[in-house]
């Protein structure tokens, strides 16, 4: 059974709250209902499996405590949803989208890519990474800019596998996709198969550890994680890079860039580019040859 939770917030906070919820609890579908123009309240609707409710509410409350909101959010009672209504809500949430020249679409969409576009079919299952979140979109833009035929790619925190699959379809000859979440691994394996890139993308359950370095070096390392995990894995991600290779990190708000960039530089990387979308950021660093 799925539940619909409604969180009443100030409309000025709706984008920030929806982004934050989607980022910290990727298994949720989040919808914003801004109501009538000029109304002083908006609702963020969250769809969650009933069994996850207590733990999720606890982590959401905690996450919201750290954002400067205009008003304290108010939780409304959960509504039970029939399976069909949940599917309808989810399908409304995930529509095909063109990110650069990559069309990301769910399996139920009939939309076809235009000539010159690369199509990814992504079934999210219980994993993060449909392209609807700005951090995924930023990473997808970076992959399109930095990939070249024959590249070897490491995707740390692959979620649905979207970035590794994109890399494979854009010319990588090997992409190693890691995730600590068994549900994400399941979703990524299904998507790798559905996109016909099983020969190129290897999905593994686990994180980046020193023994993974044997699989490198990689020309591109992508990590859409969170600031703390990026900080922790920074030295290993740097070690995994080939000389001249690029590290793309995302999963944080733009104000974090000023703190993360010098930190990544201490691992021996040079700043290449910052990318921003809707308050979220990605940093591209390069390992000098
Ligand atoms: C924000 S999602 C990114 C998914 C996808 N790469 C994208 O860009 O949309 C982060 C993913 O990283 C995984 N993750 C979190 N910490 C990790 C770690 N230390 N090692 C590997 N995966 C991790 C989570 O399970 C989640 O699937």
């Amino acid at each position: 059974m799925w539940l619909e939770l409604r969180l009443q917030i100030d409309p000025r906070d709706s984008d920030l709250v929806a982004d934050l919820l989607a980022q910290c609890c990727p298994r949720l579908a989040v919808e914003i209902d801004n109501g009538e123009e000029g109304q002083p309240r908006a609702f963020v609707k969250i769809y969650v499996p009933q069994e996850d409710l207590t733990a999720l509410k606890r982590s959401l409350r905690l996450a919201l405590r750290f954002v400067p909101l205009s008003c304290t959010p108010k939780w409304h009672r959960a509504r039970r949803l029939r399976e069909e209504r949940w599917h309808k809500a989810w399908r409304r949430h995930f529509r095909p989208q063109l990110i650069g020249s990559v069309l990301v679409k769910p399996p139920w969409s009939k939309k076809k890519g235009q000539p010159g576009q690369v199509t990814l079919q992504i079934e999210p299952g219980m994993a993060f990474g449909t392209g609807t979140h700005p951090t995924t979109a930023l990473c997808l833009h970076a992959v399109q800019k930095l990939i070249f035929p024959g590249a070897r790619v490491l995707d740390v925190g692959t979620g649905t596998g979207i970035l590794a699959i994109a890399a494979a379809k854009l010319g990588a000859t090997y992409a190693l996709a890691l995730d600590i979440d068994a549900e994400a691994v399941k979703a990524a394996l299904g998507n790798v198969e559905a996109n016909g890139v099983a020969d190129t993308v290897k999905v593994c359950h686990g994180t980046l550890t020193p023994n993974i370095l044997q699989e490198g070096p990689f020309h591109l390392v992508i990590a859409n994680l969170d600031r703390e995990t990026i900080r922790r894995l920074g030295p290993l991600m740097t070690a995994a890079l080939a000389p001249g290779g690029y590290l793309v990190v995302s999963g944080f708000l733009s104000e974090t860039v000023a703190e993360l960039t010098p930190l990544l530089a201490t691992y021996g990387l040079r700043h290449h580019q910052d990318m921003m979308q809707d308050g979220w950021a990605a940093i591209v660093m390069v390992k000098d040859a």
Side-chain angles (χ1 to χ4, degrees), residues 42 48 58 60 78 88 92 110 117 133 164 173 180 205 240 246 253 262 288:
V48 310
R58 201 178 315 121
L60 292 180
K88 235 169 131 186
R92 266 204 316 269
K110 299 214 175 358
Q117 292 177 354
H133 197 271
T173 43
I180 51 171
H205 189 193
Y246 290 91
L253 295 169
D288 280 330

Side-chain angles (χ1 to χ4, degrees), residues 23 128-130 135-136 139 155-160 162-163 178-181 184 206-208 224-225 229 232-233:
Q23 181 75 5
F128 186 105
T130 55
T135 58
T136 310
C139 291
D155 178 14
V156 189
T158 198
T160 56
I162 183 168
L163 303 176
L178 307 176
D179 207 294
I180 51 171
D181 178 359
T207 189
L208 178 58
N224 182 8
L225 294 163
T229 313
R232 203 159 33 79
L233 295 180

Side-chain angles (χ1 to χ4, degrees), residues 147-148 150-154 172-175 214-221:
I147 203 78
F148 59 87
R152 292 174 65 82
V153 176
L154 174 63
T173 43
Y174 179 61
Q214 297 163 16
E215 304 244 2
F218 298 94
H219 303 105
L220 178 59
V221 175

Side-chain angles (χ1 to χ4, degrees), residues 26-27 90 123-130 158-161 181 183-185 187-188:
R27 294 175 183 193
W90 177 237
E123 165 62 79
M126 300 292 268
F128 186 105
T130 55
T158 198
T160 56
D181 178 359
E183 290 291 345
V185 169

